[in-house]
Amino acid sequence: MKSWALVDCDSFYCSCERVFDPSLRGRPVVVLSNNDCFIVARSREAKALGIPMASGVIEQRALLERHGVVMLSSNYTLYADMSRRVMSILEQFCPKTEIYSIDEAFLDLTAIPARERSAFANELRSTVLQWTGIPVSIGVAPSMTLAKIAARQAKQNYGVFNYELLSETDADALLAGVAIEDIWGIASRQALKLHRAKIHTALDLKRADPRWANKTLSVVGERTLRELRGESCIELKNFHAAKDAVSCSRMFGRKLSAFEPIREAVANYAARAGEKLRKQKSAAGMIQVWLQTSPHMPGAQYSNSALTQFAVKTNHNPDLIAAAEELLRRIYKSGYRYHKAGVLLLDLAEADAVQQDFISPDGRIQEKQNIMRALDTLNTRWGRDTIYSAAQGVQRAWHMRRSRLTPHYTTRWNDLPCAKACTQ
């Protein structure tokens, strides 16, 4: 019988900040989105104050100030590096590890005897905390969907929750307390269908007819039902299949009118989208660029987009940047104060299966792949933009505001923490 563990880092962004600033421990902390506009992460203390996720800083300012909540700009370079450290530990303990997100991973524990799985999970949790300073919660269960539910239970006390040890009565009582929209894999539209069918909890779905679930929710819904019954029938590849499109868009740090800073921003967005493509081993056949003013600001409004197709599908940054710049030139109009721009890559295919242009020499294609491999390796090891295209600019006056940004403790030499000798 299969056994899965879900390892979930607790309040991950806030925990990363606390590793290098112990004064934040026990205090309410929130991490802000691009341009410091919205709350994207909350510590337990911040959640207890009733601060909503994704709420605006302006609308929550009175509450934040009244309780002395620490607000920090998002330090994605730090979070990505800390995630790599956590995941490397998980892979040392369990070679069959599937990374699900920046702060979650599934571990296949089938090879570990059932009586040893709780002890294994506790040892793993203690090791991650000791080696990285990141607290994790671990849920153990016979299926991935149940492991997700178990991990949520484990979060209540920063510990381990083994669903496999529950009696059938206790397991059903647990599932009865899980709302249908909180089940992994159940989308909001599916939840509405289930509510109309008087299925409101995970226990209700578990007891439903699998054939009805297949007809109502498709094969994915039937798999979820069977998973709630303890059958392991979901593979991560069902969730990690290559996306139909890849995008990157940002609000500018300030309103922009001149073409040059907007061009630099779009070049950066194209480079970021290319990075995402290569991570999922895809190549794009089309690229779209869009540009807009803010609908919430007074003055003349303008928005537009343009699309073009590549002769050969690509994930090569210079190709993407050149195409993005050409599209931007088509849609840019002077006289407007622009608020946001974005790049969308479409018509994706597996990079290894791309049909090449017979006119292009094979050596050139291989050279492009080698350059991107070297770029990604350097930026992964030493931090984002260790090396980048000149078109992405140096000054970056368009860059998003991050006035509360903490140091890049693990990826920048000048930001490395220094230990001071005690003179007493």
Side-chain angles (χ1 to χ4, degrees), residues 6-10 44 118 121-126 129 135-140 147 150-162:
L6 176 67
V7 181
D8 188 357
C9 299
D10 295 308
R44 288 196 176 207
S118 293
N122 276 298
E123 182 184 359
L124 176 57
R125 178 182 169 277
S126 298
L129 182 61
V136 301
S137 301
I138 304 178
V140 179
R152 192 178 302 128
Q153 289 297 114
K155 269 185 177 291
Q156 294 181 5
N157 59 356
Y158 288 113
V160 170
F161 187 89
N162 191 340

Side-chain angles (χ1 to χ4, degrees), residues 163 165-175 203 206-207:
Y163 183 93
L165 300 180
L166 297 178
S167 66
E168 184 175 353
T169 300
D170 290 340
D172 284 352
L174 173 61
L175 296 181
L203 181 61
K206 173 187 174 181
R207 292 174 171 172

Side-chain angles (χ1 to χ4, degrees), residues 351-362:
D352 293 339
V354 170
Q355 183 176 355
Q356 303 295 339
D357 185 350
F358 72 92
I359 298 176
S360 302
D362 291 340

Side-chain angles (χ1 to χ4, degrees), residues 109-128:
L109 304 186
T110 307
I112 299 174
R115 65 182 179 276
E116 299 176 12
R117 287 168 189 160
S118 293
F120 173 87
N122 276 298
E123 182 184 359
L124 176 57
R125 178 182 169 277
S126 298
T127 302
V128 171

Side-chain angles (χ1 to χ4, degrees), residues 100-290:
Y100 180 63
S101 66
I102 192 171
D103 62 348
E104 291 179 292
F106 284 101
L107 280 60
D108 187 343
L109 304 186
T110 307
I112 299 174
R115 65 182 179 276
E116 299 176 12
R117 287 168 189 160
S118 293
F120 173 87
N122 276 298
E123 182 184 359
L124 176 57
R125 178 182 169 277
S126 298
T127 302
V128 171
L129 182 61
Q130 181 181 1
W131 291 7
T132 68
I134 301 295
V136 301
S137 301
I138 304 178
V140 179
S143 70
M144 288 184 174
T145 302
L146 289 175
K148 272 280 200 178
I149 293 172
R152 192 178 302 128
Q153 289 297 114
K155 269 185 177 291
Q156 294 181 5
N157 59 356
Y158 288 113
V160 170
F161 187 89
N162 191 340
Y163 183 93
E164 295 173 353
L165 300 180
L166 297 178
S167 66
E168 184 175 353
T169 300
D170 290 340
D172 284 352
L174 173 61
L175 296 181
V178 178
I180 202 72
E181 49 271 353
D182 292 335
I183 299 174
W184 184 51
I186 297 295
S188 56
R189 187 175 299 178
Q190 292 174 318
L192 289 174
K193 289 183 180 179
L194 290 168
H195 280 303
R196 285 196 290 267
K198 300 189 184 309
I199 293 178
H200 306 296
T201 69
L203 181 61
D204 294 337
L205 182 58
K206 173 187 174 181
R207 292 174 171 172
D209 184 345
R211 291 171 297 181
W212 173 86
N214 189 310
K215 182 178 179 180
T216 306
L217 305 175
S218 80
V219 67
V220 175
E222 181 185 350
R223 285 176 184 158
T224 300
L225 182 153
R226 294 187 182 279
E227 287 253 322
L228 291 172
R229 294 182 174 183
E231 301 175 33
S232 180
C233 52
I234 292 180
E235 297 292 337
L236 273 184
K237 63 183 180 182
N238 298 129
F239 293 89
H240 284 310
K243 299 177 181 178
D244 295 329
V246 166
S247 66
C248 181
S249 62
R250 298 281 189 278
M251 290 186 295
F252 304 135
R254 56 186 176 84
K255 301 297 182 293
L256 299 176
S257 297
F259 176 79
E260 186 58 25
I262 298 175
R263 184 198 64 77
E264 284 188 4
V266 169
N268 276 271
Y269 303 161
R272 296 289 175 263
E275 181 182 323
K276 294 179 183 180
L277 270 186
R278 294 189 295 277
K279 280 186 177 179
Q280 69 173 43
K281 296 180 172 54
S282 297
M286 303 178 75
I287 181 171
Q288 182 182 44
V289 172
W290 54 269

Side-chain angles (χ1 to χ4, degrees), residues 31-95:
V31 175
L32 309 179
S33 66
N34 300 333
N35 292 314
D36 295 344
C37 293
F38 299 98
I39 295 167
V40 296
R42 303 160 297 164
S43 68
R44 288 196 176 207
E45 297 80 3
K47 293 175 184 177
L49 295 174
I51 300 172
M53 185 68 164
S55 56
V57 172
I58 294 177
E59 64 186 87
Q60 299 296 328
R61 186 171 297 280
L63 178 62
L64 295 168
E65 292 178 350
R66 184 165 65 251
H67 293 283
V69 178
V70 179
M71 294 182 283
L72 301 173
S73 298
S74 48
N75 190 339
Y76 295 123
T77 303
L78 173 65
Y79 309 151
D81 187 62
M82 293 300 290
S83 174
R84 283 192 291 270
R85 296 177 186 220
V86 171
M87 300 306 167
S88 68
I89 296 171
L90 303 185
E91 289 169 346
Q92 289 179 47
F93 270 70
C94 182

Side-chain angles (χ1 to χ4, degrees), residues 311-419:
V312 177
K313 288 183 170 66
T314 184
N315 58 23
H316 185 55
N317 277 9
D319 294 343
L320 301 175
I321 291 172
E325 180 177 341
E326 176 59 32
L327 292 174
L328 179 64
R329 291 186 184 279
R330 292 189 204 172
I331 62 176
Y332 169 81
K333 286 185 177 181
S334 61
Y336 293 94
R337 300 177 70 235
Y338 292 102
H339 162 73
K340 191 175 183 180
V343 171
L344 179 65
L345 302 179
L346 303 158
D347 188 20
L348 306 190
E350 293 184 16
D352 293 339
V354 170
Q355 183 176 355
Q356 303 295 339
D357 185 350
F358 72 92
I359 298 176
S360 302
D362 291 340
R364 177 59 178 155
I365 295 168
Q366 187 60 48
E367 179 184 338
K368 286 183 175 183
Q369 293 175 346
N370 291 341
I371 291 172
M372 289 298 98
R373 190 175 298 114
L375 181 143
D376 291 337
T377 299
L378 288 169
N379 287 336
T380 297
R381 181 173 182 180
W382 300 110
R384 175 168 282 175
D385 286 348
T386 297
I387 183 170
Y388 56 90
S389 299
Q392 293 175 241
V394 177
Q395 298 298 326
R396 303 191 180 185
W398 51 270
H399 212 285
M400 59 186 177
R401 296 189 305 273
R402 289 194 290 179
S403 60
R404 302 170 185 268
L405 183 65
T406 52
H408 295 73
Y409 297 106
T410 63
T411 56
R412 188 176 293 168
W413 285 109
N414 293 336
D415 289 349
L416 287 178
C418 295

